[in-house]
Amino acid sequence: MRKNKAVMIGAGLANMAAAVYLIQEGHWNGDQITFYSLDDHGSNDGAPTDSVTDEYWNKNHPMENRKGYVARGGRMLNYRTYVDLMDLLDRVPSATEPNMTVAEDTHDFDAKHRTFDKARLLEGGKGIVNGSHLGLNNSDRLHLTKLIMMPDSEEEKLDNVTIAQYFSDDPHFFGTNFWFMWETTFAFRVQSSAQELRRYMHQMIYEFTQIEHLVGVNRTRYNQYESIMLPLVNYLRAQGCHIVLDRLVTDWEFKDTTMQDEITVTGLEMQNTVTGDTEHVTIDDDTAVIFTNGSITDSATLGDLDTPAPEDMDYGAAASLWKKASEHFYDLGNPDKFFADRAASEWTSFTLTTKDHLLLNEITRITTQVPGNALNSFISTSPITALGHKDINMSIVVHHQPHFTSQKPNETVIWGYFLYPRRRGEFVDKPYIKMTGKEMAQELIGQLSKVDPGPGNIRDHEAAIMDSIINNIPVHMPYASALFNNRAKTDRPKVIPQHSTNLAFTGEFAEQPYQMIFTEQSAVRSGEIAAYHFAGIPMANLVKTPRYDKDLKTLAKAAKKMFK
């Protein structure tokens, strides 16, 4: 149903994409679009810690501890599959590179800093593991082939089936190099959705041939906020869009109609998180409401060098609003599948800032590669899983430096994460979630020392490395992997629900045919669909999605790779 104005609940990538398409394809004026959001970046953040606006963090951390940088997560791009994202980024100018669009900026940087990871897997006592040997047996290959060849029409067979259940008669799979690399590249877990794994296998099938080096990964020049979100914010503000921050939308008003399944939003209740005041926004007949109905960084908390990140038990701001809508109408999904099972969704990250390049140089020596190409996973040397297999302890990403425009030449910023934060450290005897930033750095050095035997071990430099640390910010994210949680297709609402007159859902918790979540691609696509719907643009005009799972050459290469 065509509209003339839009209210955006949330100012993440999906809704900003919707706004760009409404302006450029729907020919709307920017001042017809209003955002209400807690922030202007969603999960694509990155900033100096002295600019963090988290009220709890600023209240409980002294100013002297607010040093260095923090990014709750990191984003890898892929030109071959992220076609909607690249279309969007080619529509807005870069915030850092004159006379370039963001897409041109990214292509330019990536062409000069190609990803080729020589040390995708590291194992204690072995050093660099040859990841080109996937380690699959015939049972593994059979299960993967069935998943890859399953047609879209049969996908519902995997409703409410976990990856562990799908491979229940093939536990060997979870001890293969392939699983270790797939698990840490995309943040899957054994209890994640097999349906979602199938979508990744279909859309990323060509990664079989290059996953050990990540040559298909493309990266932005700087962190995701400065290279992706800031250009969008700048563009939308210049177009006259209203971006109202520090607003938490808390409840809906829906039209009271004799048609029980008609979904028409007539008003929103929200709170000004700075003043505490309650505000009301009336939604008229000409206005669309575009809602990002879940966030993987909701309820995230920060620590510092001397303090662990506290655990916030809140259900999540966006998910709470989604739940209220789903209680009104029967076809808007089931947020509990994603936000009521923290054991399946939580992980903890850290952003480490140093005042010199000693740690960076040691990682370069151990991995034999230059910064900007490394995404390294560290494997335990002893079985620690219920399946009896060794598993990943931690992963780090060493970005090209500088990773922030304000970063000094002598500073290094490294990001890492623990996919299973309740596991105990090997070098610091406590769960990762309970560690301070200092203890996480000590655990990192210990893990590196396992793959660095002999004289000149990184342990010889531990005191100097610890002295070089400006800050290390732990971040606990209870819903970081919630989008992978086990579910059925109907547990996520469609972007445009069947009986909706003015409400659309965007982001990683909206159901889209074929699209795989946890990507900038699916976020942009959902915003594009919402924009086209409310601007009256035919869906046939959407960016065309490539289907590599239908390409015989790609399938043949993947099949051959399975036997290595």
Side-chain angles (χ1 to χ4, degrees):
M1 185 175 294
R2 181 175 291 188
K3 301 294 180 182
N4 297 311
K5 296 176 290 185
V7 165
M8 307 287 188
I9 305 176
L13 179 62
N15 279 0
M16 289 196 177
V20 172
Y21 285 109
L22 285 171
I23 292 168
Q24 296 193 6
E25 297 297 324
H27 307 294
W28 288 23
N29 293 324
D31 63 5
Q32 297 170 276
I33 301 169
T34 302
F35 291 81
Y36 294 105
S37 181
L38 292 170
D39 55 52
D40 62 357
H41 51 68
S43 298
N44 285 277
D45 63 342
T49 56
D50 60 6
S51 66
V52 170
T53 58
D54 183 273
E55 182 178 355
Y56 177 91
W57 195 80
N58 287 333
K59 181 179 179 181
N60 291 276
H61 296 266
M63 184 60 70
E64 59 267 24
N65 287 351
R66 298 184 218 164
K67 299 176 291 185
Y69 295 89
V70 62
R72 291 176 295 186
R75 297 290 177 269
M76 298 183 295
L77 311 183
N78 189 294
Y79 298 150
R80 293 181 65 174
T81 54
Y82 292 19
V83 289
D84 296 78
L85 172 70
M86 298 314 296
D87 177 78
L88 173 70
L89 298 186
D90 207 29
R91 294 169 178 265
V92 294
S94 167
T96 62
E97 308 307 305
N99 304 316
M100 286 187 181
T101 66
V102 179
E104 290 168 342
D105 173 17
T106 302
H107 278 289
D108 176 71
F109 173 80
D110 191 69
K112 297 171 182 174
H113 304 88
R114 294 289 190 190
T115 298
F116 188 84
D117 196 342
K118 298 179 183 178
R120 182 65 187 85
L121 295 174
L122 300 173
E123 183 172 358
K126 293 185 179 180
I128 299 174
V129 174
N130 184 357
S132 64
H133 296 299
L134 301 185
L136 301 172
N137 63 21
N138 285 338
S139 180
D140 304 329
R141 297 181 189 109
L142 178 62
H143 281 80
L144 284 173
T145 300
K146 287 181 177 180
L147 205 62
I148 294 166
M149 300 307 294
M150 179 182 289
D152 295 346
S153 60
E154 297 182 11
E155 187 180 49
E156 290 181 4
K157 291 181 178 179
L158 297 176
D159 276 0
N160 300 310
V161 176
T162 67
I163 296 173
Q165 289 169 334
Y166 180 80
F167 288 95
S168 60
D169 60 347
D170 180 28
H172 174 270
F173 175 75
F174 297 106
T176 63
N177 287 341
F178 173 80
W179 172 249
F180 293 144
M181 291 186 288
W182 201 271
E183 175 187 34
T184 54
T185 299
F186 303 114
F188 277 99
R189 299 181 182 209
V190 295
Q191 66 266 54
S192 298
S193 167
Q195 200 172 80
E196 208 60 59
L197 178 62
R198 174 199 168 272
R199 292 194 180 188
Y200 266 74
M201 290 294 163
H202 277 235
Q203 201 160 356
M204 302 289 283
I205 182 62
Y206 57 84
E207 283 298 331
F208 267 85
T209 62
Q210 56 196 29
I211 192 170
E212 71 271 21
H213 298 308
L214 295 176
V215 295
V217 169
N218 311 109
R219 300 187 189 276
T220 55
R221 189 178 303 272
Y222 297 108
N223 61 85
Q224 58 213 10
Y225 178 73
E226 292 184 280
S227 286
I228 295 179
M229 299 307 294
L230 184 58
L232 289 167
V233 172
N234 291 345
Y235 172 81
L236 293 175
R237 287 194 185 279
Q239 292 295 316
C241 294
H242 309 283
I243 303 178
V244 184
L245 302 182
D246 303 312
R247 295 302 188 275
L248 175 64
V249 181
T250 57
D251 211 347
W252 309 91
E253 288 181 2
F254 291 105
K255 181 180 179 180
D256 187 10
T257 175
T258 56
M259 297 179 61
Q260 293 182 354
D261 51 6
E262 179 187 321
I263 304 170
T264 301
V265 181
T266 58
L268 300 172
E269 295 291 332
M270 67 184 69
Q271 181 184 29
N272 183 320
T273 59
V274 175
T275 66
D277 295 337
T278 298
E279 302 173 4
H280 180 270
V281 173
T282 299
I283 305 297
D284 61 31
D285 292 340
D286 287 334
T287 300
V289 178
I290 301 179
F291 170 41
T292 300
N293 59 305
S295 171
I296 60 175
T297 50
D298 267 356
S299 305
T301 53
L302 282 65
D304 63 30
L305 193 63
D306 303 312
T307 312
E311 189 171 2
D312 184 348
M313 301 306 297
D314 186 75
Y315 190 80
S320 295
L321 188 62
W322 173 20
K323 189 165 187 175
K324 288 183 178 180
S326 70
E327 290 168 350
H328 278 274
F329 303 101
Y330 64 85
D331 59 349
L332 299 187
N334 181 4
D336 281 351
K337 282 289 190 74
F338 307 96
F339 293 90
D341 187 3
R342 288 182 172 219
S345 64
E346 66 179 353
W347 40 277
T348 299
S349 71
F350 60 87
T351 311
L352 177 62
T353 309
T354 63
K355 63 185 179 183
D356 61 35
H357 299 310
L358 177 57
L359 175 59
L360 181 67
N361 290 337
E362 284 296 289
I363 293 174
T364 297
R365 177 180 62 81
I366 293 168
T367 62
T368 69
Q369 59 190 12
V370 297
N373 297 338
L375 192 159
N376 309 312
S377 300
F378 304 98
I379 305 175
S380 171
T381 56
S382 58
I384 58 174
T385 71
L387 296 169
H389 294 301
K390 61 193 177 186
D391 202 358
I392 302 300
N393 279 345
M394 66 189 301
S395 298
I396 62 170
V397 178
V398 183
H399 304 282
H400 180 270
Q401 306 294 311
H403 192 48
F404 293 84
T405 56
S406 60
Q407 191 177 328
K408 297 176 182 177
N410 58 297
E411 293 177 341
T412 293
V413 176
I414 295 172
W415 182 86
Y417 81 103
F418 304 97
L419 187 58
Y420 297 92
R422 305 287 171 175
R423 292 178 179 172
R424 299 186 76 86
E426 290 189 69
F427 298 88
V428 177
D429 188 21
K430 61 174 62 174
Y432 301 127
I433 190 176
K434 300 294 185 182
M435 290 185 187
T436 66
K438 180 179 180 180
E439 290 167 337
M440 289 182 177
Q442 292 169 332
E443 182 71 18
L444 170 61
I445 294 170
Q447 292 290 340
L448 286 168
S449 72
K450 288 167 52 178
V451 296
D452 184 27
N457 185 282
I458 189 173
R459 284 284 198 185
D460 296 343
H461 307 285
E462 182 169 7
I465 291 172
M466 295 303 296
D467 183 62
S468 75
I469 295 175
I470 295 172
N471 211 342
N472 190 24
I473 306 296
V475 181
H476 182 64
M477 293 172 283
Y479 307 119
S481 287
L483 32 63
F484 285 132
N485 279 17
N486 191 28
R487 47 85 183 170
K489 288 182 73 170
T490 56
D491 288 328
R492 296 191 299 217
K494 294 180 180 178
V495 176
I496 309 296
Q498 183 177 358
H499 304 292
S500 173
T501 66
N502 68 343
L503 176 62
F505 292 86
T506 61
E508 306 295 356
F509 297 91
E511 179 63 27
Q512 304 178 64
Y514 184 65
Q515 295 294 321
M516 57 183 187
I517 44 77
F518 208 11
T519 64
E520 316 298 82
Q521 164 65 19
S522 63
V524 171
R525 181 91 175 177
S526 66
E528 186 183 359
I529 292 171
Y532 279 31
H533 176 78
F534 290 124
I537 302 170
M539 293 298 162
N541 291 9
L542 292 169
V543 176
K544 304 305 178 190
T545 299
R547 292 296 301 254
Y548 298 108
D549 58 330
K550 306 293 185 183
D551 182 73
L552 294 180
K553 288 185 178 179
T554 300
L555 291 172
K557 288 180 180 179
K560 181 179 179 181
K561 183 69 173 183
M562 281 192 192
F563 286 88
K564 289 189 176 180

